[in-house]
Amino acid sequence: MNKEKLCDKCSTCNQKSPLFQLLSDNELEVINDDRYAVRFLEGEVILKQGTRADNLVYVIEGFAKMYVEGFNDRNLLLDFVKPMQFVGAPAVHTGGKYNYTMVAVRETLACFLDAEKFSKALDLNREFSKHYMVKCSEEYARSLDRMVSLSQKQMHGRIADALIYLSEQVYETEVIGVDVSRQDIADFTGMSKDSAIRILKEFERDGIVNLEDKTIVIHDGPLLNSISMNG
Amino acid sequence: MNKEKLCDKCSTCNQKSPLFQLLSDNELEVINDDRYAVRFLEGEVILKQGTRADNLVYVIEGFAKMYVEGFNDRNLLLDFVKPMQFVGAPAVHTGGKYNYTMVAVRETLACFLDAEKFSKALDLNREFSKHYMVKCSEEYARSLDRMVSLSQKQMHGRIADALIYLSEQVYETEVIGVDVSRQDIADFTGMSKDSAIRILKEFERDGIVNLEDKTIVIHDGPLLNSISMNG
DNA sequence: ATTATGTTGTGATAAAAATCACAACGATGT
DNA sequence: ACATCGTTGTGATTTTTATCACAACATAAT
C-alpha cells in the first residue's frame, strides 16, 4: 500500500503537525527512532483504557474517537480525533494507564510515538515543549467547560453544546457527518440515547436543525447558541 | 506582622514546595524577582474568573477553594487548596483569562508569581518543568474522573465520591472540617443544596457518616466506596 | 434585647430524565 | 428472498432530582 510511504520518516512526513515543525531534523530523528505507523479499520481499538501509557498516538489520516469507559456500561465520549492531533495525555505524562479508549471511526493511520523519546524531544526543544504545554492546557480548559455543561445544564443545553462543538471544532461546517451516531451524542452529553434522539427531533420540529439520513445540519446557529447559554 | 518574614525571598522560604526544591538558588531568583505575597481574609477573592491570567498563585498558608462560576448562578466547586499548591493552570499557559475564581476559606497567605518569570524558570530547568507537567497532568486526569462521576453517577454515588475525595485528599483524615458547607458539597457534586443535605442525612441514618456541628465524620469507609462504585 | 442573616434541615410538589416496550428502516449475510 | 442485526424513532411509565415553602438554630449587628 503506497500510503505507508507517507510515513517513511518524521522529517519528510507530509502530515507534520505545526508542533512538529518546531523541531529540527535532528530532534525529529529522536522521535523517529522508535516510532511506527499502523493502519486501523473502522471500529478497531487504537488505545485501550487501562493499558500502560507508553505511547503517544499521532493521527496521520482517518477519524477516531476517544471515550472513557465509565459506570453501568456507559461511555463518556471525550472527543473526536482528526489528523495531526496527539492522543495520550494525561496518562503518558503521569506514567500511568490510559484514561480512555480510542477507536477508529473510519479507517485510520496512526503513528505510535514512544513516550520516552517524545519526552526527550520535549527536553531538547523548549519552544516545542512550551507549545505542547499550551495544547495540553487547552484540552484541560475544555474539560472544565464540559464539567460545567454536564453538571449545570439540562438536556437541551447540553445537546446544543454538543452540536456547536461538533460543528465548529470537529467538522468545521454546519453539517455534522454520518459517523456521529445518536448514541455518540448521548455519550457526549451524558444522557440516554432515547433522550438525545427526542431532543434532536424536537430541534428539528423547531427548525433548529435538519436531520437527513444520519447527518445533522445546523439551520439556526444563533438560536442554538441561545439554548446553550440559557439551558 | 512577623508572618510576612517567612516570605522574604524564595530561596529561604520555609514553605517551599518539593517542586521548588528542584530549582537552584539562581533559578529561584528569577521567580523571586517579581513575586509578592498578600494576606487574604476569609471570604476574600484571591483570583477572579475572567480576569487576565498573568499570575500563578502559590499558597503559603491558609485554606482556599476554587470554583467555576457557571450558569443560573450556580458554581462548580473544583477543589480546595492547601499550602504548597499552585493555582493558575490552565489559563496561565494559554495566555487567556482565569477559568475559575479562587476564594480564601480561612485567612490565607498567597504568593503571586509572575507568569512570565515562572515560564522562564520552566525554560531554565527541565527537571522542574517535567515535574510541573506531571502535576498538571494529574489535575487533568482528575477532571476526567470527575466528568464521569458528574455525568454517570446519581446523587448517592456523587456524594460518596465527594466525601472520599475530601477525606482522603483534602483533610487526610476521616473528619471533614467545618469549613466545608453543605452548599460546597452541593457545588462539588452538581446538585441542589437541598438534595445534598437530604443524602448526607440519609448516610447518617445508615451509619455511614456522623454529622456533628457542621463536620462530617466518615464512619463506614468501605460502604462509602461501594456506594461510589455502584452509584 | 432584638432584629437581621446565613446555614441547616424537612416535607410536599413539580419538573426533568431514564427506562421500558415496541415499531420502522436499512444494511448485511445466507 | 428472507432472516438478522444495528440504528433510529416514539409513547407510556417510573425514577430521579429540583424547586418551593417553610422551620429551627446559630451568629452577627444595632
Side-chain angles (χ1 to χ4, degrees):
Chain A
M1 214 183 268
N2 81 327
K3 299 241 177 90
E4 262 68 2
K5 278 214 187 115
L6 298 178
C7 216
D8 180 36
K9 53 195 279 217
C10 294
S11 49
T12 59
C13 177
N14 55 9
Q15 282 293 351
K16 210 189 315 181
S17 145
L19 214 57
F20 274 161
Q21 290 170 21
L22 296 168
L23 292 176
S24 71
D25 282 4
N26 273 350
E27 287 159 356
L28 274 173
E29 201 48 51
V30 174
I31 290 175
N32 189 54
D33 197 22
D34 255 343
R35 68 143 257 291
Y36 58 94
V38 178
R39 187 167 291 278
F40 290 90
L41 301 180
E42 182 179 327
E44 287 183 340
V45 171
I46 300 173
L47 294 180
K48 175 65 182 178
Q49 177 174 333
T51 60
R52 188 172 303 285
D54 35 32
N55 284 289
L56 208 82
V57 167
Y58 180 69
V59 173
I60 299 170
E61 52 174 67
F63 195 52
K65 62 183 175 187
M66 38 200 281
Y67 55 86
V68 181
E69 302 178 26
F71 293 83
N72 303 112
D73 291 309
R74 287 174 63 189
N75 296 325
L76 175 67
L77 184 48
L78 292 177
D79 212 349
F80 287 94
V81 191
K82 295 185 291 182
M84 302 208 286
Q85 290 190 313
F86 295 89
V87 178
V92 102
H93 303 110
T94 57
K97 315 287 172 67
Y98 290 117
N99 306 80
Y100 41 76
T101 291
M102 179 188 188
V103 167
V105 174
R106 291 199 298 266
E107 191 181 351
T108 295
L109 182 59
C111 196
F112 285 74
L113 312 175
D114 182 75
E116 291 291 319
K117 296 290 161 64
F118 189 85
S119 176
K120 195 98 177 174
L122 292 172
D123 287 346
L124 290 170
N125 186 322
R126 180 56 193 153
E127 204 54 36
F128 176 62
S129 64
K130 200 175 281 182
H131 282 251
Y132 180 72
M133 182 75 176
V134 171
K135 282 274 171 234
C136 290
S137 295
E138 285 167 354
E139 258 186 67
Y140 180 28
R142 194 168 81 81
S143 90
L144 295 180
D145 285 346
R146 288 199 61 196
M147 259 169 68
V148 171
S149 173
L150 287 168
S151 66
Q152 298 189 345
K153 291 183 186 178
Q154 47 200 68
M155 297 195 299
H156 296 255
R158 301 209 301 276
I159 291 277
D161 283 348
L163 296 182
I164 291 167
Y165 178 76
L166 290 170
S167 163
E168 292 183 356
Q169 306 298 320
V170 178
Y171 282 93
E172 300 178 71
T173 150
E174 293 76 38
V175 184
I176 295 166
V178 286
D179 27 37
V180 176
S181 70
R182 302 292 186 260
Q183 184 66 59
D184 286 334
I185 290 181
D187 290 346
F188 196 78
T189 52
M191 67 184 73
S192 72
K193 180 202 55 172
D194 309 47
S195 293
I197 289 172
R198 232 179 284 275
I199 287 163
L200 283 171
K201 276 289 168 187
E202 204 179 314
F203 280 4
E204 187 182 38
R205 275 192 290 279
D206 296 348
I208 301 170
V209 299
N210 269 27
L211 307 177
E212 5 194 82
D213 43 81
K214 300 192 184 177
T215 71
I216 302 169
V217 184
I218 294 179
H219 221 256
D220 191 341
L223 185 46
L224 208 52
N225 268 293
S226 132
I227 291 169
S228 159
M229 295 304 282
N230 306 314
Chain B
M1 211 183 268
N2 81 329
K3 298 240 178 92
E4 262 68 2
K5 280 218 186 109
L6 300 178
C7 216
D8 180 36
K9 53 193 280 216
C10 294
S11 50
T12 59
C13 178
N14 55 10
Q15 282 293 352
K16 209 187 320 180
S17 144
L19 213 56
F20 275 160
Q21 289 171 21
L22 297 168
L23 292 176
S24 72
D25 281 6
N26 274 350
E27 288 159 354
L28 274 174
E29 200 50 50
V30 175
I31 289 175
N32 189 54
D33 197 21
D34 255 344
R35 67 145 257 291
Y36 58 94
V38 179
R39 188 166 292 276
F40 290 90
L41 301 180
E42 182 180 326
E44 288 183 339
V45 171
I46 301 174
L47 294 180
K48 175 66 180 176
Q49 178 175 332
T51 61
R52 185 172 306 285
D54 35 32
N55 284 288
L56 207 84
V57 167
Y58 180 69
V59 173
I60 300 170
E61 51 175 66
F63 195 52
K65 63 183 174 187
M66 37 199 282
Y67 56 84
V68 181
E69 303 178 25
F71 294 83
N72 304 112
D73 292 308
R74 289 175 62 190
N75 296 326
L76 174 67
L77 184 49
L78 292 178
D79 211 349
F80 287 94
V81 190
K82 295 185 291 184
M84 301 207 287
Q85 290 190 313
F86 295 90
V87 179
V92 100
H93 303 109
T94 57
K97 316 289 174 62
Y98 291 117
N99 306 80
Y100 42 75
T101 291
M102 180 187 187
V103 167
V105 173
R106 292 200 297 266
E107 190 181 352
T108 295
L109 182 59
C111 197
F112 285 74
L113 312 175
D114 182 76
E116 291 291 319
K117 296 291 162 67
F118 189 84
S119 177
K120 194 97 178 173
L122 291 172
D123 287 345
L124 290 170
N125 187 321
R126 180 57 196 155
E127 204 55 35
F128 176 61
S129 62
K130 199 175 282 184
H131 282 252
Y132 180 71
M133 182 75 178
V134 171
K135 282 273 172 234
C136 290
S137 295
E138 285 168 353
E139 259 186 65
Y140 180 30
R142 194 168 81 80
S143 89
L144 294 181
D145 285 347
R146 287 198 61 198
M147 258 168 68
V148 171
S149 173
L150 287 168
S151 66
Q152 298 189 345
K153 291 184 186 179
Q154 47 199 69
M155 298 194 298
H156 296 256
R158 303 209 300 276
I159 291 278
D161 283 348
L163 296 182
I164 292 166
Y165 178 76
L166 290 170
S167 163
E168 292 183 356
Q169 306 298 319
V170 179
Y171 282 93
E172 301 178 69
T173 151
E174 293 76 40
V175 184
I176 296 166
V178 287
D179 28 37
V180 176
S181 70
R182 302 294 186 258
Q183 183 67 59
D184 285 334
I185 289 180
D187 289 346
F188 196 77
T189 50
M191 67 185 73
S192 71
K193 181 204 56 176
D194 309 44
S195 293
I197 288 171
R198 230 179 285 274
I199 287 163
L200 284 171
K201 276 289 168 186
E202 204 179 313
F203 280 3
E204 186 181 40
R205 274 192 292 279
D206 297 346
I208 301 170
V209 301
N210 268 28
L211 306 176
E212 4 194 83
D213 45 80
K214 299 192 184 179
T215 70
I216 302 170
V217 184
I218 293 179
H219 222 256
D220 192 342
L223 185 46
L224 208 51
N225 269 294
S226 131
I227 291 169
S228 158
M229 295 303 283
N230 307 314

